[in-house]
């Protein structure tokens, strides 16, 4: 391609072929589908255009368990990057001046590094995130200051995580089982020995009423217990 030095791509070990007015640059990064991450470079008067012609979206679609999420994932990844790559009609495109080709090149590599290693969240993780989001909205309506993911050191010296701090109340969500109950009892008692002005709230999953009744009786000795379904209904 006239006016473009492909040496900088070759020196870094990328496979470069010339087709008509385009350079096709294939990177070592590979999607789960087996498709390599690649882009095309063409001249546009005094500028150059990096364009993937939809190949990235297609490769990601073939790689995801839910192909319909490809557009959302690509948009989300681009939002996390400080780049000038545009994403429209399933296509990545990046205009650049000749003296900024290296910058555009790195932006594509950074994006491909994120997309080729992307792991979708499990359905269990998505459900947990939705529960925490519901709790956050519930707390915001009732407290002045709500902080997610707080840590406090107990008398034992251990750092204990809580889902939220709402004013002077530490809030956790839990599923009712013996392991969760034991862990909650230990950390609340440990933190109470240092911060005696804190209150403790546990929002407990009550989809299994028998387990809820059993574990809530034990946990009520150290914290205020609220059924999750009751929280949703309030």
């Amino acid at each position: 391609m006239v006016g473009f030095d492909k040496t900088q791509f070759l020196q870094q070990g990328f496979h470069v072929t010339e087709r008509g007015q385009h350079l096709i640059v294939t990177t070592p990064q590979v999607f789960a589908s087996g498709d390599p991450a690649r882009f095309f470079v063409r001249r546009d008067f005094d500028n150059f255009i990096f364009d993937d012609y939809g190949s990235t979206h297609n490769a990601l679609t073939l790689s995801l368990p839910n192909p319909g999420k490809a557009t959302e994932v690509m948009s989300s990844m681009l939002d996390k990057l400080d780049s000038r790559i545009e994403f429209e009609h399933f296509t990545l495109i990046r205009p650049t001046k000749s003296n900024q080709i290296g910058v555009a090149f790195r932006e594509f590599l950074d994006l491909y590094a994120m997309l080729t290693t992307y792991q979708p969240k499990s359905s269990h993780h998505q459900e947990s995130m939705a529960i925490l989001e519901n709790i956050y909205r519930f707390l915001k309506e009732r407290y002045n200051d709500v902080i997610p993911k707080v840590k406090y050191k107990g008398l034992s010296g251990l750092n204990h995580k809580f889902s939220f701090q709402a004013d002077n109340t530490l809030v956790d969500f839990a599923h009712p089982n013996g392991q969760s109950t034991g862990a909650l009892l230990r950390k609340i008692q440990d933190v109470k020995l240092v911060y005696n002005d804190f209150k403790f709230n546990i929002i407990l999953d009550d989809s299994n009423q028998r387990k809820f009744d059993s574990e809530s009786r034990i946990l009520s000795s150290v914290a205020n217990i609220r059924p999750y379904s009751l929280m949703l209904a309030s």
Side-chain angles (χ1 to χ4, degrees):
M1 182 172 61
V2 178
F4 188 86
D5 181 11
K6 60 184 179 183
T7 306
Q8 58 184 306
F9 296 127
L10 294 171
Q11 287 176 338
Q12 299 190 54
F14 299 111
H15 185 263
V16 181
T17 57
E18 192 165 350
R19 184 182 301 168
Q21 297 300 308
H22 291 82
L23 282 184
I24 306 172
V25 182
T26 303
T27 77
Q29 295 154 312
V30 179
F31 288 90
S33 62
D35 295 294
R38 62 162 60 107
F39 57 86
F40 303 76
V41 186
R42 70 178 188 272
R43 193 176 182 89
D44 183 42
F45 298 103
D46 293 333
N47 296 329
F48 292 92
I49 306 293
F50 284 54
D51 195 329
D52 80 333
Y53 292 103
S55 62
T56 304
H57 186 275
N58 182 65
L60 187 62
T61 297
L62 295 173
S63 301
L64 295 177
N66 185 349
K69 290 287 187 180
T71 298
E72 179 184 331
V73 171
M74 288 180 66
S75 298
S76 174
M77 294 302 177
L78 277 171
D79 287 342
K80 296 176 182 178
L81 292 175
D82 181 19
S83 80
R84 294 180 58 196
I85 298 174
E86 300 170 6
F87 179 45
E88 295 181 357
H89 307 297
F90 309 117
T91 297
L92 297 171
I93 191 165
R94 168 62 155 94
T96 184
K97 299 289 186 182
S98 59
N99 63 351
Q100 289 292 303
I101 284 175
V103 175
F105 176 49
R106 287 191 296 274
E107 289 178 2
F108 266 82
L109 291 185
D110 288 344
L111 178 60
Y112 286 149
M114 297 171 72
L115 292 175
T116 55
T117 58
Y118 173 75
Q119 295 290 330
K121 300 290 191 299
S122 67
S123 58
H124 174 73
H125 184 273
Q126 293 177 17
E127 180 184 351
S128 297
M129 294 300 292
I131 289 171
L132 292 175
E133 181 63 29
N134 289 336
I135 294 173
Y136 180 72
R137 287 198 296 266
F138 172 81
L139 296 174
K140 286 289 286 183
E141 292 174 356
R142 291 161 175 79
Y143 293 88
N144 294 320
D145 191 20
V146 180
I147 307 170
K149 296 180 181 178
V150 296
K151 290 182 182 179
Y152 283 96
K153 184 176 291 187
L155 187 64
S156 67
L158 295 174
N159 279 315
H160 298 288
K161 299 178 183 178
F162 292 85
S163 300
F164 302 96
Q165 179 175 344
D167 296 340
N168 70 331
T169 301
L170 297 180
V171 182
D172 256 335
F173 171 80
H175 295 283
N177 58 65
Q179 185 176 357
S180 291
T181 296
L184 285 165
L185 287 172
R186 287 189 294 273
K187 79 173 181 180
I188 290 174
Q189 289 168 342
D190 196 24
V191 171
K192 269 187 173 182
L193 292 172
V194 178
Y195 301 94
N196 56 18
D197 55 337
F198 274 146
K199 298 177 182 177
F200 296 86
N201 280 6
I202 298 172
I203 298 173
L204 202 59
D205 174 26
D206 58 328
S207 56
N208 184 317
Q209 192 62 46
R210 183 181 62 80
K211 287 185 177 180
F212 172 85
D213 290 342
S214 173
E215 303 304 321
S216 64
R217 279 196 294 270
I218 300 170
L219 289 169
S220 62
S221 64
V222 295
N224 177 55
I225 309 299
R226 179 182 288 269
Y228 179 64
S229 65
L230 185 61
M231 185 211 78
L232 288 178
S234 60

